[in-house]
Amino acid sequence: MGQKPKTGSKTNSTTKNLKNTPAPKAEAQSHSRATSGGAATAATQAREISAHADLTIDELRDAIENANDVIYTHALEGGLLYTNTAAQRVFGYTKEEAERLNVRDLLAPDQLAIAKASTAAKLAGQPTANPYLIKVRAKDAREVTLELSTRLIYKNGSPVAVQGIGRDITERKLAERALAQSEQLFRTVIESCSDVICILDTTGRIEYPSPAVETKLGFKPEELVGRSCFEFAHPDDRDYMITRFKERFTRVQASPPVEVRLKHKDGSWIPFEALSNLIDHDGQVSGVVVSCRDISERRRSEHELNVSE
């Protein structure tokens, strides 16, 4: 990559020659084969198509042109030589506009550095990640994330261009980011809550206890992970607690709160009011979220009221 090649007969000749250049032999491309991911799958499919000798050039060209994945070719200097329909749709440029572009017109400086490093490694015969993620600037300034697999195109034994096959994973990355933000918000709310919040599996085993457990019961959260919640129940409450826990999985609607006594690390018993909600993944219940509120003060007030009467 570097300066955009000058337009004129030389570039047109190069483009024409590349279009007529037969596919390079597999051994000449072994260092640039994709290893995983959507773009790698597309690259594998492209090689499988090229292996069918009964397909005509027009049929092969039609398969590339109408592929769902972005397929493009650019000169070693960066000038775009070919873009398929998917590339034109994703980048937002017409075929004619795209062929006047250089890859640096599509990439921010940091992303251009990634692309240059990948090409340089291939030219040097060095191993390089393939596919890899790269962010492209579309014509309307949108940022598009591609899972990209690239390889060198050879002519007469020398590399003359780069072919890229990319899968648009922008929506997937946005969903992952939204999920991460949601999880962070969930964690922030839970970890700042004064109630003890636990995630239990379907057997009652503790998968996650909130930090409040140390304030209320004296245990560090890591001391409780993997242990059964029932071992902390008062002996007189344990059977009732187990029964109510099992019943919770037989009803979708919210259950009334349960009052139980849980063992503090110092051996004392703390009364709690517990509310639960099922964890449902695509119709499959995988556990329950339990919110436990310390009702020691309430119990104390009730006792004092009874005594006064």
Side-chain angles (χ1 to χ4, degrees), residues 33-50:
R33 289 176 179 167
T35 56
S36 63
T41 301
T44 300
Q45 292 172 342
R47 287 195 296 272
E48 290 174 349
I49 290 175
S50 66

Side-chain angles (χ1 to χ4, degrees), residues 115-135:
K116 283 185 173 182
S118 178
T119 299
K122 288 179 173 64
L123 289 169
Q126 299 172 348
T128 181
N130 211 19
Y132 58 94
L133 299 186
I134 197 159
K135 296 175 182 177

Side-chain angles (χ1 to χ4, degrees), residues 24-36:
K25 294 182 179 179
E27 58 269 22
Q29 306 171 40
S30 61
H31 65 279
S32 60
R33 289 176 179 167
T35 56
S36 63

Side-chain angles (χ1 to χ4, degrees), residues 1-210:
M1 297 184 184
Q3 297 298 315
K4 181 175 179 180
K6 297 179 181 178
T7 59
S9 60
K10 185 175 181 180
T11 300
N12 293 336
S13 175
T14 301
T15 305
K16 182 178 180 181
N17 289 338
L18 284 172
K19 290 179 178 178
N20 295 326
T21 301
K25 294 182 179 179
E27 58 269 22
Q29 306 171 40
S30 61
H31 65 279
S32 60
R33 289 176 179 167
T35 56
S36 63
T41 301
T44 300
Q45 292 172 342
R47 287 195 296 272
E48 290 174 349
I49 290 175
S50 66
H52 290 281
D54 55 332
L55 292 177
T56 67
I57 293 298
D58 286 340
E59 288 172 329
L60 289 172
R61 183 180 293 111
D62 185 64
I64 292 173
E65 186 63 30
N66 295 292
N68 289 325
D69 290 314
V70 169
I71 301 178
Y72 66 88
T73 301
H74 69 73
L76 294 180
E77 298 82 3
L80 285 175
L81 303 172
Y82 169 79
T83 54
N84 72 342
T85 301
Q88 295 155 30
R89 182 184 69 250
V90 171
F91 298 158
Y93 292 95
T94 65
K95 186 179 185 68
E96 293 71 23
E97 290 173 329
E99 290 180 355
R100 292 195 295 270
L101 296 175
N102 188 287
V103 291
R104 63 171 174 267
D105 299 318
L106 299 172
L107 302 175
D110 61 325
Q111 300 300 299
L112 182 59
I114 293 173
K116 283 185 173 182
S118 178
T119 299
K122 288 179 173 64
L123 289 169
Q126 299 172 348
T128 181
N130 211 19
Y132 58 94
L133 299 186
I134 197 159
K135 296 175 182 177
V136 179
R137 288 184 308 221
K139 184 178 181 180
D140 61 4
R142 286 178 302 111
E143 184 178 86
V144 179
T145 302
L146 293 181
E147 185 179 57
L148 182 65
S149 178
T150 60
R151 70 179 183 91
L152 296 176
I153 294 178
Y154 290 81
K155 182 180 180 182
N156 298 326
S158 299
V160 294
V162 176
Q163 181 191 67
I165 301 178
R167 178 155 296 177
D168 183 357
I169 60 169
T170 307
E171 292 300 322
R172 189 180 87 190
K173 298 302 289 184
L174 290 174
E176 290 174 354
R177 189 178 308 157
L179 177 61
Q181 291 173 343
S182 176
E183 290 176 345
Q184 182 58 44
L185 176 61
F186 174 76
R187 185 174 295 276
T188 300
V189 171
I190 284 183
E191 293 185 352
S192 62
C193 183
S194 60
D195 292 344
V196 175
I197 299 176
C198 292
I199 296 178
L200 312 175
D201 68 11
T202 55
T203 68
R205 194 170 302 280
I206 301 170
E207 295 184 338
Y208 169 83
S210 67

